[in-house]
Amino acid sequence: MPSSDKTSKPQPSGKPQRGGPISRSQARKRAVEIVYEAAQRGADAVTLLADRVGSVEVDPIADYTITLVEGVTARRESIDELLSEHAQGWTIDRMPPVDLAVLRVGVWELLWATDVPDPVAIDEAVGIAKELSTDDSPRFVNGVLGRIGSIAERLRAVL
């Protein structure tokens, strides 16, 4: 694996910054934050993201963040259906909003990110829940994604 370069070349003026020295873990966390913010505002996450890409007022947005936000937005109906089916005793409306954003990104990675092993997608989502949500959230996120992960191969075949 290439080492991560912590320096960044300045972008020529007028060109949007799409990448940067941002790890995949940081990109995931940023995607969760954008998905969460869009849900809280009742806005479209891709539109919110588009307003920020290239803006000098926010940190550069990694390509993987863009991939995640676009993927979650495009598959949101399927993702929410799966979450409703596998979050035992929880409806989408009752889930803590941060946990819901973490789960949406986690499910997308589990089922549609072909270069991310299932255990990595689950571990990363649990780590984000530990950082951004309540003490009970990591266990909840792990349980829901674990149930979906256990049937991921079958789901990929039909989704």
Side-chain angles (χ1 to χ4, degrees), residues 16-61:
Q17 295 180 335
R18 279 196 53 133
I22 300 170
S23 72
R24 273 207 165 187
S25 293
Q26 292 169 314
R28 285 180 184 97
K29 181 180 173 194
R30 188 82 179 271
V32 166
E33 291 168 349
I34 292 168
V35 168
Y36 166 81
E37 183 181 345
Q40 293 305 297
R41 291 180 173 204
D44 177 69
V46 173
T47 302
L48 187 64
L49 179 69
D51 291 343
R52 299 204 173 144
V53 170
S55 171
V56 295
E57 297 164 10
V58 297
D59 291 333
I61 297 177

Short mmCIF file of all heavy atoms in Angstrom, two decimals, residues 16-61:
data_model
loop_
_atom_site.label_atom_id
_atom_site.label_comp_id
_atom_site.label_asym_id
_atom_site.label_seq_id
_atom_site.Cartn_x
_atom_site.Cartn_y
_atom_site.Cartn_z
N PRO A 16 -12.02 23.16 -8.56
CA PRO A 16 -12.49 22.61 -7.29
C PRO A 16 -11.49 21.61 -6.72
O PRO A 16 -10.82 20.90 -7.45
CB PRO A 16 -13.81 21.92 -7.65
CG PRO A 16 -13.85 21.84 -9.13
CD PRO A 16 -12.85 22.80 -9.68
N GLN A 17 -11.41 21.59 -5.40
CA GLN A 17 -10.59 20.59 -4.73
C GLN A 17 -11.45 19.37 -4.50
O GLN A 17 -12.44 19.43 -3.79
CB GLN A 17 -10.10 21.13 -3.39
CG GLN A 17 -9.17 22.29 -3.52
CD GLN A 17 -8.72 22.80 -2.17
OE1 GLN A 17 -9.40 22.62 -1.18
NE2 GLN A 17 -7.57 23.42 -2.15
N ARG A 18 -11.07 18.26 -5.10
CA ARG A 18 -11.85 17.04 -4.92
C ARG A 18 -11.16 16.05 -4.03
O ARG A 18 -11.78 15.18 -3.47
CB ARG A 18 -12.09 16.38 -6.28
CG ARG A 18 -13.22 17.00 -7.03
CD ARG A 18 -13.65 16.10 -8.13
NE ARG A 18 -13.92 14.78 -7.64
CZ ARG A 18 -14.99 14.08 -7.94
NH1 ARG A 18 -15.88 14.57 -8.72
NH2 ARG A 18 -15.15 12.87 -7.48
N GLY A 19 -9.89 16.10 -3.93
CA GLY A 19 -9.20 15.08 -3.15
C GLY A 19 -8.42 15.71 -2.03
O GLY A 19 -8.77 16.74 -1.52
N GLY A 20 -7.35 15.09 -1.69
CA GLY A 20 -6.51 15.61 -0.63
C GLY A 20 -5.97 14.46 0.17
O GLY A 20 -6.35 13.31 -0.03
N PRO A 21 -5.09 14.77 1.07
CA PRO A 21 -4.46 13.72 1.87
C PRO A 21 -5.40 13.25 2.98
O PRO A 21 -5.15 13.51 4.15
CB PRO A 21 -3.22 14.43 2.42
CG PRO A 21 -3.64 15.86 2.53
CD PRO A 21 -4.58 16.08 1.38
N ILE A 22 -6.46 12.60 2.62
CA ILE A 22 -7.49 12.20 3.57
C ILE A 22 -7.59 10.67 3.55
O ILE A 22 -7.75 10.06 2.50
CB ILE A 22 -8.85 12.84 3.21
CG1 ILE A 22 -8.71 14.37 3.24
CG2 ILE A 22 -9.93 12.37 4.16
CD1 ILE A 22 -9.88 15.11 2.67
N SER A 23 -7.50 10.05 4.73
CA SER A 23 -7.59 8.59 4.81
C SER A 23 -9.02 8.14 4.54
O SER A 23 -9.97 8.93 4.63
CB SER A 23 -7.16 8.11 6.19
OG SER A 23 -8.15 8.44 7.15
N ARG A 24 -9.16 6.86 4.23
CA ARG A 24 -10.52 6.33 4.01
C ARG A 24 -11.36 6.44 5.27
O ARG A 24 -12.56 6.71 5.20
CB ARG A 24 -10.45 4.88 3.53
CG ARG A 24 -10.29 4.80 2.03
CD ARG A 24 -10.87 3.52 1.53
NE ARG A 24 -11.03 3.63 0.10
CZ ARG A 24 -11.64 2.73 -0.63
NH1 ARG A 24 -12.13 1.66 -0.07
NH2 ARG A 24 -11.76 2.90 -1.92
N SER A 25 -10.73 6.24 6.43
CA SER A 25 -11.48 6.38 7.69
C SER A 25 -12.02 7.79 7.85
O SER A 25 -13.17 7.99 8.23
CB SER A 25 -10.59 6.01 8.88
OG SER A 25 -10.28 4.64 8.86
N GLN A 26 -11.18 8.79 7.55
CA GLN A 26 -11.62 10.18 7.62
C GLN A 26 -12.71 10.45 6.58
O GLN A 26 -13.66 11.19 6.85
CB GLN A 26 -10.44 11.12 7.40
CG GLN A 26 -9.42 11.10 8.51
CD GLN A 26 -8.15 11.83 8.12
OE1 GLN A 26 -7.62 11.64 7.02
NE2 GLN A 26 -7.64 12.66 9.02
N ALA A 27 -12.56 9.87 5.40
CA ALA A 27 -13.56 10.06 4.34
C ALA A 27 -14.91 9.48 4.76
O ALA A 27 -15.96 10.07 4.50
CB ALA A 27 -13.08 9.42 3.04
N ARG A 28 -14.87 8.32 5.41
CA ARG A 28 -16.11 7.71 5.91
C ARG A 28 -16.78 8.60 6.94
O ARG A 28 -18.00 8.82 6.90
CB ARG A 28 -15.82 6.35 6.54
CG ARG A 28 -15.52 5.26 5.59
CD ARG A 28 -15.24 3.94 6.35
NE ARG A 28 -14.86 2.91 5.42
CZ ARG A 28 -13.59 2.58 5.14
NH1 ARG A 28 -12.59 3.19 5.76
NH2 ARG A 28 -13.33 1.63 4.27
N LYS A 29 -15.98 9.08 7.89
CA LYS A 29 -16.54 9.94 8.93
C LYS A 29 -17.17 11.18 8.31
O LYS A 29 -18.27 11.58 8.69
CB LYS A 29 -15.46 10.32 9.93
CG LYS A 29 -15.96 11.18 11.06
CD LYS A 29 -14.86 11.55 12.02
CE LYS A 29 -15.37 12.55 13.04
NZ LYS A 29 -14.27 13.18 13.77
N ARG A 30 -16.51 11.77 7.35
CA ARG A 30 -17.04 12.96 6.68
C ARG A 30 -18.33 12.63 5.95
O ARG A 30 -19.28 13.42 5.95
CB ARG A 30 -15.98 13.50 5.71
CG ARG A 30 -16.31 14.83 5.09
CD ARG A 30 -15.95 15.96 6.05
NE ARG A 30 -16.23 17.27 5.49
CZ ARG A 30 -15.38 17.98 4.77
NH1 ARG A 30 -14.17 17.52 4.52
NH2 ARG A 30 -15.72 19.16 4.31
N ALA A 31 -18.39 11.47 5.32
CA ALA A 31 -19.62 11.05 4.63
C ALA A 31 -20.77 10.91 5.64
O ALA A 31 -21.89 11.35 5.37
CB ALA A 31 -19.40 9.74 3.88
N VAL A 32 -20.49 10.30 6.78
CA VAL A 32 -21.51 10.16 7.82
C VAL A 32 -22.00 11.54 8.25
O VAL A 32 -23.21 11.77 8.39
CB VAL A 32 -20.97 9.36 9.03
CG1 VAL A 32 -21.90 9.49 10.24
CG2 VAL A 32 -20.79 7.89 8.66
N GLU A 33 -21.08 12.47 8.45
CA GLU A 33 -21.46 13.82 8.86
C GLU A 33 -22.36 14.50 7.82
O GLU A 33 -23.34 15.16 8.18
CB GLU A 33 -20.21 14.67 9.12
CG GLU A 33 -19.42 14.21 10.34
CD GLU A 33 -18.03 14.83 10.45
OE1 GLU A 33 -17.55 15.47 9.47
OE2 GLU A 33 -17.41 14.67 11.52
N ILE A 34 -22.04 14.32 6.56
CA ILE A 34 -22.85 14.94 5.49
C ILE A 34 -24.22 14.27 5.39
O ILE A 34 -25.24 14.95 5.27
CB ILE A 34 -22.08 14.91 4.16
CG1 ILE A 34 -20.87 15.85 4.24
CG2 ILE A 34 -22.99 15.28 2.98
CD1 ILE A 34 -19.87 15.71 3.11
N VAL A 35 -24.26 12.94 5.46
CA VAL A 35 -25.54 12.22 5.42
C VAL A 35 -26.41 12.63 6.61
O VAL A 35 -27.61 12.87 6.48
CB VAL A 35 -25.29 10.69 5.37
CG1 VAL A 35 -26.57 9.91 5.61
CG2 VAL A 35 -24.66 10.30 4.04
N TYR A 36 -25.79 12.74 7.78
CA TYR A 36 -26.50 13.17 8.99
C TYR A 36 -27.04 14.59 8.82
O TYR A 36 -28.21 14.86 9.09
CB TYR A 36 -25.56 13.09 10.20
CG TYR A 36 -26.07 13.81 11.41
CD1 TYR A 36 -27.02 13.22 12.25
CD2 TYR A 36 -25.64 15.10 11.73
CE1 TYR A 36 -27.50 13.89 13.38
CE2 TYR A 36 -26.12 15.77 12.84
CZ TYR A 36 -27.05 15.15 13.66
OH TYR A 36 -27.53 15.82 14.76
N GLU A 37 -26.17 15.51 8.40
CA GLU A 37 -26.59 16.90 8.26
C GLU A 37 -27.73 17.05 7.26
O GLU A 37 -28.69 17.79 7.50
CB GLU A 37 -25.40 17.77 7.83
CG GLU A 37 -25.76 19.24 7.74
CD GLU A 37 -24.62 20.12 7.29
OE1 GLU A 37 -23.45 19.70 7.31
OE2 GLU A 37 -24.90 21.28 6.92
N ALA A 38 -27.64 16.34 6.15
CA ALA A 38 -28.70 16.41 5.14
C ALA A 38 -30.03 15.93 5.73
O ALA A 38 -31.07 16.55 5.51
CB ALA A 38 -28.32 15.59 3.91
N ALA A 39 -29.98 14.83 6.49
CA ALA A 39 -31.21 14.31 7.10
C ALA A 39 -31.79 15.31 8.09
O ALA A 39 -33.01 15.53 8.13
CB ALA A 39 -30.93 12.98 7.79
N GLN A 40 -30.94 15.95 8.88
CA GLN A 40 -31.41 16.92 9.86
C GLN A 40 -32.03 18.15 9.20
O GLN A 40 -32.98 18.72 9.72
CB GLN A 40 -30.27 17.34 10.79
CG GLN A 40 -29.78 16.23 11.69
CD GLN A 40 -30.90 15.63 12.52
OE1 GLN A 40 -31.52 16.30 13.33
NE2 GLN A 40 -31.20 14.37 12.28
N ARG A 41 -31.48 18.53 8.06
CA ARG A 41 -31.98 19.71 7.35
C ARG A 41 -33.14 19.38 6.40
O ARG A 41 -33.72 20.27 5.82
CB ARG A 41 -30.86 20.33 6.53
CG ARG A 41 -29.80 20.98 7.34
CD ARG A 41 -28.76 21.56 6.42
NE ARG A 41 -27.79 22.33 7.14
CZ ARG A 41 -27.06 23.28 6.61
NH1 ARG A 41 -27.19 23.58 5.34
NH2 ARG A 41 -26.18 23.93 7.32
N GLY A 42 -33.39 18.09 6.19
CA GLY A 42 -34.39 17.70 5.21
C GLY A 42 -33.92 18.02 3.80
O GLY A 42 -34.71 18.32 2.92
N ALA A 43 -32.60 17.95 3.60
CA ALA A 43 -31.99 18.30 2.32
C ALA A 43 -31.47 17.05 1.63
O ALA A 43 -31.32 15.99 2.25
CB ALA A 43 -30.84 19.28 2.55
N ASP A 44 -31.15 17.19 0.37
CA ASP A 44 -30.54 16.11 -0.39
C ASP A 44 -29.04 16.12 -0.09
O ASP A 44 -28.38 17.17 -0.22
CB ASP A 44 -30.79 16.33 -1.88
CG ASP A 44 -30.10 15.28 -2.73
OD1 ASP A 44 -30.53 14.11 -2.68
OD2 ASP A 44 -29.12 15.64 -3.42
N ALA A 45 -28.49 14.96 0.29
CA ALA A 45 -27.08 14.88 0.68
C ALA A 45 -26.14 15.22 -0.48
O ALA A 45 -25.11 15.85 -0.28
CB ALA A 45 -26.77 13.50 1.24
N VAL A 46 -26.50 14.81 -1.69
CA VAL A 46 -25.64 15.09 -2.84
C VAL A 46 -25.61 16.59 -3.14
O VAL A 46 -24.55 17.14 -3.46
CB VAL A 46 -26.07 14.27 -4.08
CG1 VAL A 46 -25.30 14.68 -5.31
CG2 VAL A 46 -25.88 12.78 -3.82
N THR A 47 -26.74 17.25 -3.00
CA THR A 47 -26.79 18.70 -3.20
C THR A 47 -25.95 19.41 -2.14
O THR A 47 -25.17 20.32 -2.45
CB THR A 47 -28.25 19.20 -3.15
OG1 THR A 47 -29.00 18.51 -4.14
CG2 THR A 47 -28.33 20.69 -3.37
N LEU A 48 -26.09 18.98 -0.89
CA LEU A 48 -25.29 19.54 0.19
C LEU A 48 -23.80 19.34 -0.09
O LEU A 48 -22.99 20.26 0.07
CB LEU A 48 -25.68 18.87 1.51
CG LEU A 48 -25.09 19.41 2.79
CD1 LEU A 48 -25.57 20.83 3.04
CD2 LEU A 48 -25.49 18.51 3.95
N LEU A 49 -23.45 18.15 -0.52
CA LEU A 49 -22.06 17.83 -0.86
C LEU A 49 -21.57 18.71 -2.01
O LEU A 49 -20.48 19.28 -1.94
CB LEU A 49 -21.96 16.35 -1.24
CG LEU A 49 -20.59 15.84 -1.65
CD1 LEU A 49 -19.65 15.81 -0.46
CD2 LEU A 49 -20.73 14.44 -2.24
N ALA A 50 -22.38 18.85 -3.04
CA ALA A 50 -21.98 19.64 -4.21
C ALA A 50 -21.71 21.09 -3.83
O ALA A 50 -20.82 21.73 -4.40
CB ALA A 50 -23.07 19.57 -5.28
N ASP A 51 -22.46 21.59 -2.86
CA ASP A 51 -22.24 22.97 -2.40
C ASP A 51 -20.89 23.12 -1.71
O ASP A 51 -20.35 24.22 -1.64
CB ASP A 51 -23.34 23.40 -1.43
CG ASP A 51 -24.68 23.57 -2.11
OD1 ASP A 51 -24.71 23.68 -3.36
OD2 ASP A 51 -25.71 23.57 -1.40
N ARG A 52 -20.36 22.02 -1.21
CA ARG A 52 -19.10 22.10 -0.46
C ARG A 52 -17.88 21.75 -1.27
O ARG A 52 -16.79 22.20 -0.96
CB ARG A 52 -19.20 21.15 0.72
CG ARG A 52 -20.34 21.60 1.61
CD ARG A 52 -20.19 21.16 2.99
NE ARG A 52 -21.26 21.80 3.74
CZ ARG A 52 -21.88 21.24 4.72
NH1 ARG A 52 -21.55 20.05 5.10
NH2 ARG A 52 -22.83 21.89 5.35
N VAL A 53 -18.03 20.90 -2.28
CA VAL A 53 -16.87 20.51 -3.09
C VAL A 53 -16.32 21.75 -3.78
O VAL A 53 -17.04 22.47 -4.45
CB VAL A 53 -17.25 19.43 -4.13
CG1 VAL A 53 -16.11 19.20 -5.11
CG2 VAL A 53 -17.62 18.13 -3.43
N GLY A 54 -15.06 22.00 -3.55
CA GLY A 54 -14.43 23.15 -4.18
C GLY A 54 -14.55 24.43 -3.39
O GLY A 54 -13.93 25.42 -3.75
N SER A 55 -15.33 24.42 -2.33
CA SER A 55 -15.47 25.63 -1.52
C SER A 55 -14.19 25.87 -0.72
O SER A 55 -13.63 24.94 -0.15
CB SER A 55 -16.65 25.48 -0.56
OG SER A 55 -16.66 26.55 0.37
N VAL A 56 -13.76 27.11 -0.69
CA VAL A 56 -12.57 27.44 0.10
C VAL A 56 -12.91 27.56 1.59
O VAL A 56 -12.02 27.64 2.42
CB VAL A 56 -11.92 28.76 -0.40
CG1 VAL A 56 -11.40 28.59 -1.80
CG2 VAL A 56 -12.89 29.92 -0.31
N GLU A 57 -14.20 27.54 1.91
CA GLU A 57 -14.62 27.70 3.30
C GLU A 57 -14.64 26.40 4.07
O GLU A 57 -14.81 26.40 5.29
CB GLU A 57 -16.01 28.35 3.33
CG GLU A 57 -16.01 29.75 2.75
CD GLU A 57 -17.40 30.25 2.42
OE1 GLU A 57 -18.39 29.61 2.81
OE2 GLU A 57 -17.49 31.30 1.77
N VAL A 58 -14.50 25.27 3.41
CA VAL A 58 -14.48 23.97 4.09
C VAL A 58 -13.23 23.20 3.67
O VAL A 58 -12.63 23.49 2.64
CB VAL A 58 -15.75 23.13 3.77
CG1 VAL A 58 -17.00 23.81 4.27
CG2 VAL A 58 -15.86 22.83 2.30
N ASP A 59 -12.87 22.22 4.49
CA ASP A 59 -11.73 21.37 4.15
C ASP A 59 -12.01 20.63 2.85
O ASP A 59 -13.18 20.35 2.53
CB ASP A 59 -11.48 20.35 5.27
CG ASP A 59 -10.98 21.02 6.54
OD1 ASP A 59 -10.35 22.09 6.45
OD2 ASP A 59 -11.23 20.46 7.63
N PRO A 60 -10.96 20.28 2.11
CA PRO A 60 -11.18 19.52 0.88
C PRO A 60 -11.95 18.23 1.16
O PRO A 60 -11.81 17.64 2.24
CB PRO A 60 -9.76 19.19 0.40
CG PRO A 60 -8.89 20.21 1.05
CD PRO A 60 -9.56 20.54 2.36
N ILE A 61 -12.75 17.82 0.22
CA ILE A 61 -13.57 16.61 0.36
C ILE A 61 -12.95 15.51 -0.48
O ILE A 61 -12.72 15.69 -1.67
CB ILE A 61 -15.03 16.90 -0.03
CG1 ILE A 61 -15.59 17.93 0.94
CG2 ILE A 61 -15.84 15.62 -0.03
CD1 ILE A 61 -16.98 18.38 0.65
#
